């Protein structure tokens, strides 16, 4: 496993500006559900990007795993409402891109 000193100080969703600050020397899982605005951004762009900062002491972080969970458009009323991004009942196009990311170690 990762040494607690190698935890990044911050993780952010690129494009939305939202981030979470991670506590120094606290190794744990962090849930980072997307907001409605970020979901629309993913549907529009076809992907989501995350930014991982350096450690609290400036060293390069070590990430054990990034797990990504996705839903189909039809499971998200936000995307099936008239006037929203298409409304087809297809899987979010980012799903295929992130499946490979989720199986990689960083």
């Amino acid at each position: 496993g990762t040494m607690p000193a190698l935890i990044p100080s911050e993780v952010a969703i690129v494009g939305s500006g939202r981030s979470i600050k991670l506590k120094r020397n606290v190794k744990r899982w962090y849930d980072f559900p997307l907001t409605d605005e970020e979901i629309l951004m993913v549907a529009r762009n076809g992907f989501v990007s995350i930014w991982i900062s350096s450690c609290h002491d400036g060293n390069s972080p070590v990430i054990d795993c990034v797990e990504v969970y996705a839903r189909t458009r039809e499971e998200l009323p936000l995307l099936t409402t008239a006037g929203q991004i298409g409304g087809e009942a297809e899987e979010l196009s980012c799903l295929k891109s992130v499946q490979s990311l989720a199986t990689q170690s960083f």
Side-chain angles (χ1 to χ4, degrees):
T2 305
M3 296 175 53
L6 298 177
I7 294 171
S9 59
E10 182 178 9
V11 176
I13 298 291
V14 175
S16 74
R18 186 170 64 102
S19 68
I20 58 169
K21 307 284 187 211
L22 308 183
K23 293 181 181 178
R24 172 175 274 195
N25 296 322
V26 178
K27 181 181 169 184
R28 61 167 283 225
W29 288 98
Y30 291 91
D31 292 326
F32 207 179
L34 298 179
T35 64
D36 289 349
E37 177 185 334
E38 291 163 344
I39 291 168
L40 289 172
M41 183 176 65
V42 169
R44 196 171 37 250
N45 297 331
F47 63 91
V48 64
S49 297
I50 60 171
W51 173 80
I52 299 170
S53 74
S54 61
C55 298
H56 292 274
D57 62 6
N59 288 323
S60 296
V62 175
I63 307 296
D64 286 336
C65 181
V66 174
E67 292 183 17
V68 179
Y69 300 90
R71 293 184 178 172
T72 63
R73 286 179 182 244
E74 105 189 323
E75 292 176 299
L76 296 168
L78 177 68
L79 297 178
T80 58
T81 305
Q84 294 295 330
I85 317 287
E88 304 95 28
E90 63 187 56
E91 288 191 17
L92 289 173
S93 57
C94 69
L95 181 57
K96 291 179 186 166
S97 300
V98 297
Q99 282 175 336
S100 63
L101 176 66
T103 60
Q104 296 175 7
S105 293
F106 293 90

